[in-house]
Amino acid sequence: MKITILTLFPDMFLPFIGESIIKRAIDNNIVTVELVDIRDYSLEKHRHVDDTPYGGGAGMVLKVDILKRCLDANRRPNSKVLLMTPQGKQYNQKMAEDYSKLDDIVIMCGHYEGFDERILKYVDEEVSIGDYVLTGGEIAAMAVADSIIRLLKGATRDESHEDDSFSTGLLEYPQFTRPYEFLGDKVPDVLVNGNHELIRKYRLYESLKKTYLRRKDLLDKMELTKEMQEMLSQIKREND
């Protein structure tokens, strides 16, 4: 896979691509991450990329001609072009899984007051990572790229992300490691008895419980098995 990030601040991404799982995925040729400076496509002497908004108002707006020139130079026929913007579709794990199956993704980062609206004609999807506003799209682009890269085959062990929160539709069950006892607080016995079926049921129950208590909206979108329905009934009796 190739991920191309169009940004005014490419140096912000150097720590991101130089550490941990992302670095290993790049070193192992699982993914290529290319950083492109949008300013390189400005034709002005001082490389200006923005201007004041028509109609007045605060802030500066990124110019459509420069953005389009940058995009045209860095997209391929099979590229999926994402525009990071607070007005976009709310990002989720299903989208990450869908994007991880693609070969080429271009992520455009906004900054300042935003984009000239006309750039929307040339992108495939507007994406938001939440209902809040950042100083720019760089952090959002890192979040999207990270969520995609970790799903690529060979980037991590498959089992390390198969039970992640949202991958199954539920929040992830509690995790524990050594020491067995810490300040009187012990690991649940079911996790150390070696009975894999009891462990599976415990984890499913705890995932359902955490989801019910914290994100009931996720349960509304799921088709629950009979086992899950019975567990959920018990959870409701214990917590309502």
Side-chain angles (χ1 to χ4, degrees), residues 27-39:
D27 290 344
N28 293 330
N29 297 316
I30 295 169
V31 65
T32 298
V33 179
E34 181 177 359
L35 305 175
V36 177
D37 191 339
I38 295 172
R39 294 184 191 278

Side-chain angles (χ1 to χ4, degrees), residues 4-68:
T4 304
I5 300 175
L6 314 181
T7 172
L8 296 174
F9 303 98
D11 286 352
M12 288 182 65
F13 291 86
L14 297 182
F16 170 69
I17 64 175
E19 299 287 347
S20 190
I21 291 172
I22 308 302
K23 182 180 187 299
R24 291 199 299 272
I26 293 171
D27 290 344
N28 293 330
N29 297 316
I30 295 169
V31 65
T32 298
V33 179
E34 181 177 359
L35 305 175
V36 177
D37 191 339
I38 295 172
R39 294 184 191 278
D40 290 342
Y41 296 87
S42 174
L43 303 181
E44 299 182 19
K45 177 180 178 181
H46 299 291
R47 304 174 76 213
H48 291 153
V49 294
D50 54 5
D51 208 335
T52 55
Y54 278 116
M60 303 289 280
V61 178
L62 293 175
K63 300 176 70 172
V64 65
D65 55 333
I66 298 173
L67 295 174
K68 176 67 161 53

